[in-house]
Amino acid sequence: MTILILGSGGREHTFAWKTAQSPLCDTIYVAPGNSGTAEIATNVNISVTDFPAIKALVLEKHIDMVVVGPEDPLVQGIHDFFLNDDALKHVAVIGPEKAAAELEGSKEFAKEFMIRHDIPTAAYQSFNASNVEEGYAFLETLNPPYVLKADGLAAGKGVLILNDLAEAKAELKEMLVDAKFGAASSKVVIEEFLDGIELSCFVLTDGKNYKILPTAKDYKRIGEGDTGLNTGGMGAVSPVPFATSEFLSKIEERVVKPTISGLQKDNLPYKGFVFIGLIKVGDDPKVIEYNVRMGDPETEVVLPRLKNDLVEIFQAIANQTLDTITIEIDERAATTVMLVSGGYPEAYEKGKEITGLEQVTGSIPFHAGAIVKDGKVVTSGGRVLAMTSYGESYSEALKKSYQNIDKLHFDKINYRKDIGFDL
């Protein structure tokens, strides 16, 4: 098979790395890709939302399957674009159709879905610029901290957790009236704060059947001890030590099953990954959010633990035969630590040369915001590289990641030295 992977991050490098191991695939293209994917696939400089250019590439290179990494093309309807085009409809697309991608595209849509299908989640109300005063009144009924979520896609930055009521009201006005996050915050969901520890659950579905992948926990804040600004993710561990078999069965019964059956009842066509952001409140799981693709950096610890042929799984998703697959998991722990550009998640410089990659041993460096320029690997984004390692325990795996990070250098390199600190 010839497979096209859309995206340019650590998640897509991991997809390409895993796909390259399959005897079912001999040619991989990644659009736009990065310096890591360039080593094992052919990068094509096309935007993930440039559907006409993607179509031209698929036809020119006789591509059999498209694996969609990020959320933007899914929310914009790339799967529907393929289904509605006679020249493309034979090509398998891994990712939900547009109607189902609203689970990530709209926080309000997701909350309504959860309420409709009795999926445990926080109480909420949504507001827009015309009823901002009612939003203030709702905030007054809640106990702090206050959770404000931009309804639309805001690149992982649209969620605010605030302890002060006056500040929460001011931020609500900024989001709704002053368009702090642009169109993404033309509607804002306010919810009750859930106190607990977070984890992520990953589910594969072909629209009828489902399979659960290993759990993971990521670390969103830039600073150690989970302080400072939110980022796209600074590291991850898998499995999650506190996710006991009893707790995992609660997740399956109360969250996964009603989610998959809810998609069918609501006629939301779904072939791909369901990422369920959970919080453990007491001994019970509650859903914080859905994403309609794999997480990043969680992909960098979940896929390395998957023993199966990934292409075989993707074929089963496309053919709706996922029930015939038995998921096999590596018993070892996997951890990843994200190296980021100095200044990230705010302003940062690009084009810094990365040295020491050839000295890495016993870990897998997944490239993210890095490209090849004039024969050198240089930084091209905020999150530059994810250092993944295996170990008998997550602490042993982390030790390996940190030992290999010590061999790398680029100007103003930054990373968290405390991944797994709360476990």
Side-chain angles (χ1 to χ4, degrees), residues 362-389:
S363 296
I364 312 160
F366 289 117
H367 297 212
I371 54 170
V372 177
K373 195 173 181 187
D374 303 327
K376 294 173 179 171
V377 179
V378 301
T379 65
S380 64
R383 294 192 299 160
V384 175
L385 199 111
M387 188 68 77
T388 295
S389 308

Side-chain angles (χ1 to χ4, degrees), residues 37-199:
T37 59
E39 292 172 13
I40 48 175
T42 304
N43 287 350
V44 188
N45 191 17
I46 292 175
S47 158
V48 295
T49 53
D50 187 347
F51 296 175
I54 292 168
K55 173 181 176 174
L57 178 70
V58 166
L59 296 178
E60 182 197 342
K61 303 295 183 187
H62 304 290
I63 286 163
D64 304 295
M65 176 181 284
V66 178
V67 179
V68 187
E71 62 275 15
D72 273 348
L74 293 166
V75 172
Q76 291 183 31
I78 188 162
H79 198 141
D80 311 63
F81 176 81
F82 272 69
L83 289 174
N84 295 330
D85 189 311
D86 284 339
L88 297 176
K89 63 184 178 190
H90 67 285
V91 177
V93 178
I94 304 303
E97 291 174 38
K98 185 175 184 175
E102 273 298 280
L103 277 178
E104 181 167 1
S106 164
K107 298 279 191 296
E108 184 183 44
F109 180 91
K111 293 296 280 193
E112 288 173 348
F113 177 88
M114 288 182 247
I115 301 299
R116 192 161 56 244
H117 299 294
D118 293 323
I119 296 163
T121 188
Y124 81 102
Q125 285 190 28
S126 52
F127 302 92
N128 55 41
S130 68
N131 63 351
V132 69
E133 297 290 335
E134 289 172 37
Y136 298 155
F138 182 61
L139 283 169
E140 288 166 11
T141 69
L142 299 173
N143 294 321
Y146 306 95
V147 183
L148 277 59
K149 295 182 174 181
D151 181 61
L153 295 180
K157 298 182 176 70
V159 178
L160 303 177
I161 299 173
L162 307 158
N163 285 304
D164 182 76
L165 179 61
E167 191 186 353
K169 289 180 177 179
E171 285 287 356
L172 181 65
K173 177 182 178 290
E174 262 194 55
M175 290 167 86
L176 290 174
V177 181
D178 307 330
K180 177 172 184 166
F181 298 107
S185 65
S186 59
K187 191 183 288 175
V188 172
V189 171
I190 300 175
E191 22 177 83
E192 68 167 330
F193 178 78
L194 296 175
D195 196 15
I197 187 163
E198 292 183 25
L199 71 157

Side-chain angles (χ1 to χ4, degrees), residues 255-422:
V255 177
V256 176
K257 283 182 179 175
T259 295
I260 301 304
S261 68
L263 291 169
Q264 292 170 6
K265 286 174 188 165
D266 292 353
N267 195 22
L268 298 172
Y270 208 117
K271 289 184 176 184
F273 295 94
V274 189
F275 166 151
I276 307 171
L278 295 165
I279 187 162
K280 181 176 185 269
V281 182
D283 284 323
D284 296 316
K286 292 199 173 195
V287 178
I288 301 170
E289 64 176 356
Y290 288 109
N291 291 160
V292 296
R293 34 81 195 176
M294 277 300 281
D296 191 347
E298 295 97 332
T299 305
E300 289 91 310
V301 293
V302 172
L303 285 193
R305 294 190 61 221
L306 182 68
K307 286 181 167 179
N308 299 66
D309 182 323
L310 186 61
V311 178
E312 199 179 316
I313 289 176
F314 285 156
Q315 283 182 317
I317 288 172
N319 302 329
Q320 289 197 315
T321 55
L322 196 56
D323 53 326
T324 64
I325 300 271
T326 302
I327 298 292
E328 294 175 54
I329 303 302
D330 193 316
E331 289 300 312
R332 291 175 296 173
T335 60
T336 199
V337 179
M338 191 64 78
L339 309 182
V340 304
S341 298
Y344 173 81
E346 298 187 287
Y348 56 87
E349 295 173 10
K350 299 178 185 178
K352 308 291 186 185
E353 185 183 354
I354 304 165
T355 57
L357 279 165
E358 69 290 338
Q359 295 169 38
V360 172
T361 52
S363 296
I364 312 160
F366 289 117
H367 297 212
I371 54 170
V372 177
K373 195 173 181 187
D374 303 327
K376 294 173 179 171
V377 179
V378 301
T379 65
S380 64
R383 294 192 299 160
V384 175
L385 199 111
M387 188 68 77
T388 295
S389 308
Y390 295 102
E392 292 309 312
S393 63
Y394 72 87
S395 44
E396 184 187 304
L398 279 165
K399 193 173 168 186
K400 285 186 202 168
S401 288
Y402 286 121
Q403 283 169 343
N404 276 304
I405 285 169
D406 284 342
K407 301 172 183 174
L408 299 185
H409 181 76
F410 57 86
D411 186 39
K412 299 189 177 71
I413 188 170
N414 184 27
Y415 58 93
R416 274 181 60 171
K417 297 166 189 68
D418 71 337
I419 298 304
F421 80 98
D422 55 342

